[in-house]
Amino acid sequence: MKLLSFPLLVFSKIVCSMEIMEVFELSQVSNRILNCLHLSRIRVHTVNVVNDPYAIFIYEEESPLSENFMIHFVKTPRPVVGQLKVNNVCINVCGKNASQKVVHCNSNQFGYGLIHVLTHFDKIFFRMDFSIGIEISTINEMKGILCHPIFRKCGYLQFRGENETLSNEDCQYFLEKTQPNRGITILSKLGSDFDYKKILHFSRLRVPNLGMMPLETLKALDCEIADLGNHQFKEADLNDFLHHWIKGNNRKLRRLKLDGFEESPDWDVLLKDIAHTEWNPKERGKLYNHLDVDNLFLLSLLSSRMRVSIEAFSRKRIKSIGLRKRGAHNSFFAVTKNNEELPLVLLHPSGSKHIKESRIYVNGVVITSCSSTSSYDPLIFLDKNSYESTLKLVYEHIQFLFGRRSDYEVTHYRSCKNESFLPTYIKPTRALVYLTDTVELEKLIDWLPSVSFLKHLEVQDFSSKEPLKSKKFNTGIWSNFQGEYLALENVKFLETDIIDFLNEWKAGKGSQYLKRVDISLRRKVCLDPLRISVGIGLKTLRRVFISYFDQEYERRTNSPFKRIDLFTEYIVRDTDRAVATVYLLTNRIEICFLKKNELEMKRMGFINR
């Protein structure tokens, strides 16, 4: 049945349940489809435009469209393999990754394509809101592009470039061209003569490197939420500001965050002649719980008493705790029940003697930190000699704050040659691993037997020269992983690799706890489904079977498995006659290991008697 034959209400329900990339591709079919999509009032949270790298991506939090989608303008020219038709204009496409929801276009069409894509998005999505992130080092490349009227709808403007300086002229130019109506973030340095008054009226203001803002300018804040850091204010200045607020000024201000004190503030000076009461968690717990998670974490480092006070209020919003590992750098973040990622702390090894030291409490233990400020996330520089021991303390501290029974996940980007894959005391229930060489592969295989609690494992092969298609990659992960869900992305497998694995499972060997395996091959790598089917001895189901694994658990744990396919073939394990359904394509294999045996499947009518 044709999609347009449905009434608009039914059509709207269908398209609102589709993924963003599917909606975008559907919008290119015809003008009639495009008009129907516009009438369907599809909501997205934000369309984000950045110029380093050149990309447009969409993300949202509340509507059924829960997947990210990105159009990436790659800098290295590639052969054209297709075209996008947006706003009645054709844009050359040099690649598409359906699993990662990315469309690749050549960068020479960035400015030209950006305007037409945003205009096209404006027709598809209801009340489209978008933000612009500008890299300061490439600021001139954006000046000509942002003259188009479409950018008058910009809600949020962000200047990036931690080591670059934003001038008054550039800031004024982009404010005039985009006219952001919601907020502004400046993650770069500010010029010595920067005019702060031009940014004080935004509802949301974030400037981590505030510099030499005068006190009188701070008193002129006309925003609702201000996140300011690395300031030059003293306790007496803030006391003056608080008296200014008490007199009835800054009426819009709901929250002011000031980071950058060299030491803990002298509260006697800061609160001089201001009526205040001691902190009482029983009386003010409800207000205290509204603080951001990163603030709760930083406050918990002040003392053991503060840590115990915070513990009662920090678990209510948190669904899981994550760790991102980039070599020796480790960053922890919290995932809320709304799937929002909130940074907790970034640990960075440093042997520098030029950074001022400070003392903080981690898991009730006093440690020496080289620094505790950053332009982006809460950052602690640690001495190399005490780094590993402190990392363990931080992990235990987070467990204490947010609960040991919380789900823990880890993303492993790359490791140092002399470093272990991941400490065994970190116990994630889900792991995403990016492999680039054989050394990392060996470390992963050695680590897997020690993590019996790991349920989800997603491995992506990003080796640049030769894909990791060795026998150790194929069998090492399958035989050492004792979890339930396994996803292998961007791999280069042969038909024999799949046949060997399934024959091992049929014989009752290797991993026997798996519930689902999802394998996606590299572009230009194709398998022969018929050869695999014959090699394994696949049988045909009597009627189509739909996999029925725990979808609610998968949604709650952000599973990498996004599709539920129809299975028509199966195999049976020799030891207990358990059934596994198999879905074969030339570039993708899905296997669903069922709890039901062959006899039960016959009774249900899926297998011939």
mmCIF file of all heavy atoms in Angstrom, residues 576-601:
data_model
loop_
_atom_site.group_PDB
_atom_site.id
_atom_site.type_symbol
_atom_site.label_atom_id
_atom_site.label_comp_id
_atom_site.label_asym_id
_atom_site.label_seq_id
_atom_site.Cartn_x
_atom_site.Cartn_y
_atom_site.Cartn_z
ATOM 1 N N ASP A 576 21.369 -29.234 23.073
ATOM 2 C CA ASP A 576 20.063 -29.125 23.731
ATOM 3 C C ASP A 576 18.945 -28.773 22.762
ATOM 4 O O ASP A 576 17.833 -28.466 23.191
ATOM 5 C CB ASP A 576 20.126 -28.083 24.849
ATOM 6 C CG ASP A 576 20.583 -26.718 24.338
ATOM 7 O OD1 ASP A 576 20.830 -26.590 23.124
ATOM 8 O OD2 ASP A 576 20.705 -25.787 25.155
ATOM 9 N N ARG A 577 19.238 -28.780 21.450
ATOM 10 C CA ARG A 577 18.265 -28.505 20.391
ATOM 11 C C ARG A 577 17.702 -27.083 20.468
ATOM 12 O O ARG A 577 16.589 -26.820 20.015
ATOM 13 C CB ARG A 577 17.112 -29.513 20.417
ATOM 14 C CG ARG A 577 17.530 -30.967 20.463
ATOM 15 C CD ARG A 577 18.476 -31.298 19.329
ATOM 16 N NE ARG A 577 17.850 -31.201 18.024
ATOM 17 C CZ ARG A 577 18.504 -31.295 16.859
ATOM 18 N NH1 ARG A 577 19.843 -31.463 16.878
ATOM 19 N NH2 ARG A 577 17.866 -31.193 15.714
ATOM 20 N N ALA A 578 18.483 -26.152 21.068
ATOM 21 C CA ALA A 578 18.070 -24.742 21.089
ATOM 22 C C ALA A 578 18.134 -24.177 19.673
ATOM 23 O O ALA A 578 18.947 -24.605 18.846
ATOM 24 C CB ALA A 578 18.972 -23.937 22.024
ATOM 25 N N VAL A 579 17.285 -23.183 19.386
ATOM 26 C CA VAL A 579 17.156 -22.632 18.035
ATOM 27 C C VAL A 579 17.777 -21.240 17.972
ATOM 28 O O VAL A 579 17.632 -20.437 18.900
ATOM 29 C CB VAL A 579 15.670 -22.560 17.616
ATOM 30 C CG1 VAL A 579 15.510 -21.871 16.267
ATOM 31 C CG2 VAL A 579 15.074 -23.966 17.567
ATOM 32 N N ALA A 580 18.459 -20.977 16.864
ATOM 33 C CA ALA A 580 18.958 -19.636 16.567
ATOM 34 C C ALA A 580 18.472 -19.252 15.178
ATOM 35 O O ALA A 580 18.660 -20.003 14.214
ATOM 36 C CB ALA A 580 20.484 -19.597 16.623
ATOM 37 N N THR A 581 17.806 -18.093 15.078
ATOM 38 C CA THR A 581 17.354 -17.610 13.771
ATOM 39 C C THR A 581 18.439 -16.726 13.172
ATOM 40 O O THR A 581 19.120 -15.977 13.871
ATOM 41 C CB THR A 581 16.046 -16.815 13.911
ATOM 42 O OG1 THR A 581 16.220 -15.788 14.885
ATOM 43 C CG2 THR A 581 14.921 -17.720 14.338
ATOM 44 N N VAL A 582 18.581 -16.787 11.843
ATOM 45 C CA VAL A 582 19.669 -16.088 11.151
ATOM 46 C C VAL A 582 19.079 -15.229 10.039
ATOM 47 O O VAL A 582 18.211 -15.674 9.283
ATOM 48 C CB VAL A 582 20.682 -17.098 10.575
ATOM 49 C CG1 VAL A 582 21.830 -16.362 9.897
ATOM 50 C CG2 VAL A 582 21.212 -18.010 11.677
ATOM 51 N N TYR A 583 19.583 -14.003 9.943
ATOM 52 C CA TYR A 583 19.155 -13.050 8.917
ATOM 53 C C TYR A 583 20.399 -12.661 8.119
ATOM 54 O O TYR A 583 21.348 -12.090 8.665
ATOM 55 C CB TYR A 583 18.524 -11.830 9.577
ATOM 56 C CG TYR A 583 18.062 -10.745 8.635
ATOM 57 C CD1 TYR A 583 16.827 -10.824 8.000
ATOM 58 C CD2 TYR A 583 18.860 -9.622 8.389
ATOM 59 C CE1 TYR A 583 16.390 -9.810 7.155
ATOM 60 C CE2 TYR A 583 18.435 -8.612 7.548
ATOM 61 C CZ TYR A 583 17.197 -8.705 6.929
ATOM 62 O OH TYR A 583 16.766 -7.712 6.093
ATOM 63 N N LEU A 584 20.435 -12.986 6.828
ATOM 64 C CA LEU A 584 21.625 -12.805 6.003
ATOM 65 C C LEU A 584 21.398 -11.777 4.908
ATOM 66 O O LEU A 584 20.412 -11.822 4.183
ATOM 67 C CB LEU A 584 22.031 -14.137 5.353
ATOM 68 C CG LEU A 584 22.569 -15.237 6.266
ATOM 69 C CD1 LEU A 584 22.784 -16.511 5.465
ATOM 70 C CD2 LEU A 584 23.865 -14.813 6.932
ATOM 71 N N LEU A 585 22.326 -10.825 4.823
ATOM 72 C CA LEU A 585 22.416 -9.913 3.698
ATOM 73 C C LEU A 585 23.854 -9.929 3.193
ATOM 74 O O LEU A 585 24.734 -10.538 3.807
ATOM 75 C CB LEU A 585 22.026 -8.488 4.114
ATOM 76 C CG LEU A 585 20.553 -8.239 4.466
ATOM 77 C CD1 LEU A 585 20.375 -6.824 4.993
ATOM 78 C CD2 LEU A 585 19.668 -8.462 3.255
ATOM 79 N N THR A 586 24.115 -9.261 2.093
ATOM 80 C CA THR A 586 25.474 -9.263 1.559
ATOM 81 C C THR A 586 26.439 -8.464 2.431
ATOM 82 O O THR A 586 27.644 -8.696 2.386
ATOM 83 C CB THR A 586 25.494 -8.668 0.133
ATOM 84 O OG1 THR A 586 24.937 -7.348 0.169
ATOM 85 C CG2 THR A 586 24.689 -9.546 -0.814
ATOM 86 N N ASN A 587 25.925 -7.507 3.236
ATOM 87 C CA ASN A 587 26.801 -6.677 4.056
ATOM 88 C C ASN A 587 26.407 -6.654 5.531
ATOM 89 O O ASN A 587 26.923 -5.855 6.299
ATOM 90 C CB ASN A 587 26.816 -5.234 3.532
ATOM 91 C CG ASN A 587 25.447 -4.581 3.588
ATOM 92 O OD1 ASN A 587 24.428 -5.261 3.786
ATOM 93 N ND2 ASN A 587 25.418 -3.278 3.418
ATOM 94 N N ARG A 588 25.483 -7.539 5.926
ATOM 95 C CA ARG A 588 25.013 -7.513 7.303
ATOM 96 C C ARG A 588 24.475 -8.875 7.700
ATOM 97 O O ARG A 588 23.801 -9.545 6.919
ATOM 98 C CB ARG A 588 23.911 -6.461 7.457
ATOM 99 C CG ARG A 588 23.514 -6.174 8.887
ATOM 100 C CD ARG A 588 22.752 -4.865 8.939
ATOM 101 N NE ARG A 588 22.358 -4.549 10.307
ATOM 102 C CZ ARG A 588 21.163 -4.807 10.810
ATOM 103 N NH1 ARG A 588 20.251 -5.360 10.047
ATOM 104 N NH2 ARG A 588 20.871 -4.504 12.044
ATOM 105 N N ILE A 589 24.782 -9.287 8.925
ATOM 106 C CA ILE A 589 24.303 -10.563 9.465
ATOM 107 C C ILE A 589 23.727 -10.317 10.843
ATOM 108 O O ILE A 589 24.370 -9.683 11.690
ATOM 109 C CB ILE A 589 25.430 -11.618 9.560
ATOM 110 C CG1 ILE A 589 26.049 -11.865 8.192
ATOM 111 C CG2 ILE A 589 24.906 -12.915 10.135
ATOM 112 C CD1 ILE A 589 27.327 -11.102 7.974
ATOM 113 N N GLU A 590 22.515 -10.806 11.082
ATOM 114 C CA GLU A 590 21.904 -10.757 12.403
ATOM 115 C C GLU A 590 21.571 -12.175 12.838
ATOM 116 O O GLU A 590 21.036 -12.959 12.067
ATOM 117 C CB GLU A 590 20.624 -9.917 12.399
ATOM 118 C CG GLU A 590 20.849 -8.426 12.322
ATOM 119 C CD GLU A 590 19.565 -7.650 12.557
ATOM 120 O OE1 GLU A 590 18.721 -8.149 13.327
ATOM 121 O OE2 GLU A 590 19.414 -6.571 11.975
ATOM 122 N N ILE A 591 21.883 -12.468 14.101
ATOM 123 C CA ILE A 591 21.602 -13.786 14.654
ATOM 124 C C ILE A 591 20.876 -13.599 15.974
ATOM 125 O O ILE A 591 21.314 -12.822 16.830
ATOM 126 C CB ILE A 591 22.898 -14.596 14.881
ATOM 127 C CG1 ILE A 591 23.758 -14.580 13.623
ATOM 128 C CG2 ILE A 591 22.583 -16.022 15.295
ATOM 129 C CD1 ILE A 591 25.180 -14.996 13.850
ATOM 130 N N CYS A 592 19.766 -14.258 16.151
ATOM 131 C CA CYS A 592 18.972 -14.174 17.373
ATOM 132 C C CYS A 592 18.946 -15.561 18.017
ATOM 133 O O CYS A 592 18.408 -16.519 17.439
ATOM 134 C CB CYS A 592 17.564 -13.692 17.050
ATOM 135 S SG CYS A 592 16.563 -13.313 18.498
ATOM 136 N N PHE A 593 19.562 -15.694 19.186
ATOM 137 C CA PHE A 593 19.640 -16.975 19.891
ATOM 138 C C PHE A 593 18.453 -17.066 20.848
ATOM 139 O O PHE A 593 18.332 -16.284 21.789
ATOM 140 C CB PHE A 593 20.954 -17.078 20.658
ATOM 141 C CG PHE A 593 22.166 -16.944 19.782
ATOM 142 C CD1 PHE A 593 22.730 -15.701 19.538
ATOM 143 C CD2 PHE A 593 22.741 -18.056 19.180
ATOM 144 C CE1 PHE A 593 23.844 -15.557 18.735
ATOM 145 C CE2 PHE A 593 23.853 -17.923 18.363
ATOM 146 C CZ PHE A 593 24.401 -16.675 18.139
ATOM 147 N N LEU A 594 17.585 -18.026 20.611
ATOM 148 C CA LEU A 594 16.325 -18.118 21.342
ATOM 149 C C LEU A 594 16.450 -19.017 22.563
ATOM 150 O O LEU A 594 17.289 -19.919 22.616
ATOM 151 C CB LEU A 594 15.228 -18.659 20.423
ATOM 152 C CG LEU A 594 15.065 -17.952 19.067
ATOM 153 C CD1 LEU A 594 13.932 -18.585 18.294
ATOM 154 C CD2 LEU A 594 14.831 -16.465 19.262
ATOM 155 N N LYS A 595 15.560 -18.772 23.524
ATOM 156 C CA LYS A 595 15.475 -19.649 24.692
ATOM 157 C C LYS A 595 14.664 -20.905 24.371
ATOM 158 O O LYS A 595 14.730 -21.886 25.099
ATOM 159 C CB LYS A 595 14.828 -18.902 25.860
ATOM 160 C CG LYS A 595 15.669 -17.754 26.400
ATOM 161 C CD LYS A 595 14.967 -17.095 27.582
ATOM 162 C CE LYS A 595 15.801 -15.961 28.154
ATOM 163 N NZ LYS A 595 15.131 -15.302 29.298
ATOM 164 N N LYS A 596 13.919 -20.873 23.295
ATOM 165 C CA LYS A 596 13.062 -21.999 22.938
ATOM 166 C C LYS A 596 13.833 -23.037 22.135
ATOM 167 O O LYS A 596 14.675 -22.693 21.307
ATOM 168 C CB LYS A 596 11.852 -21.507 22.146
ATOM 169 C CG LYS A 596 11.016 -20.483 22.913
ATOM 170 C CD LYS A 596 9.771 -20.111 22.164
ATOM 171 C CE LYS A 596 8.968 -19.096 22.949
ATOM 172 N NZ LYS A 596 8.517 -19.617 24.252
ATOM 173 N N ASN A 597 13.506 -24.300 22.366
ATOM 174 C CA ASN A 597 14.160 -25.371 21.620
ATOM 175 C C ASN A 597 13.333 -25.747 20.392
ATOM 176 O O ASN A 597 12.266 -25.175 20.127
ATOM 177 C CB ASN A 597 14.395 -26.598 22.519
ATOM 178 C CG ASN A 597 13.107 -27.134 23.116
ATOM 179 O OD1 ASN A 597 12.040 -27.052 22.507
ATOM 180 N ND2 ASN A 597 13.198 -27.682 24.323
ATOM 181 N N GLU A 598 13.836 -26.717 19.659
ATOM 182 C CA GLU A 598 13.218 -27.086 18.393
ATOM 183 C C GLU A 598 11.795 -27.598 18.582
ATOM 184 O O GLU A 598 10.896 -27.274 17.797
ATOM 185 C CB GLU A 598 14.083 -28.148 17.713
ATOM 186 C CG GLU A 598 13.656 -28.489 16.307
ATOM 187 C CD GLU A 598 14.576 -29.497 15.669
ATOM 188 O OE1 GLU A 598 15.236 -30.256 16.399
ATOM 189 O OE2 GLU A 598 14.636 -29.531 14.425
ATOM 190 N N LEU A 599 11.554 -28.374 19.644
ATOM 191 C CA LEU A 599 10.226 -28.921 19.877
ATOM 192 C C LEU A 599 9.209 -27.809 20.156
ATOM 193 O O LEU A 599 8.083 -27.834 19.641
ATOM 194 C CB LEU A 599 10.262 -29.901 21.050
ATOM 195 C CG LEU A 599 8.936 -30.574 21.430
ATOM 196 C CD1 LEU A 599 8.372 -31.355 20.247
ATOM 197 C CD2 LEU A 599 9.119 -31.480 22.652
ATOM 198 N N GLU A 600 9.610 -26.819 20.973
ATOM 199 C CA GLU A 600 8.706 -25.704 21.271
ATOM 200 C C GLU A 600 8.398 -24.891 20.023
ATOM 201 O O GLU A 600 7.268 -24.415 19.834
ATOM 202 C CB GLU A 600 9.326 -24.812 22.343
ATOM 203 C CG GLU A 600 9.409 -25.466 23.719
ATOM 204 C CD GLU A 600 10.167 -24.609 24.705
ATOM 205 O OE1 GLU A 600 11.315 -24.223 24.416
ATOM 206 O OE2 GLU A 600 9.595 -24.311 25.780
ATOM 207 N N MET A 601 9.407 -24.693 19.177
ATOM 208 C CA MET A 601 9.185 -23.948 17.947
ATOM 209 C C MET A 601 8.233 -24.693 17.011
ATOM 210 O O MET A 601 7.457 -24.087 16.275
ATOM 211 C CB MET A 601 10.519 -23.674 17.250
ATOM 212 C CG MET A 601 11.425 -22.721 18.002
ATOM 213 S SD MET A 601 10.780 -21.031 18.045
ATOM 214 C CE MET A 601 11.187 -20.482 16.384
#
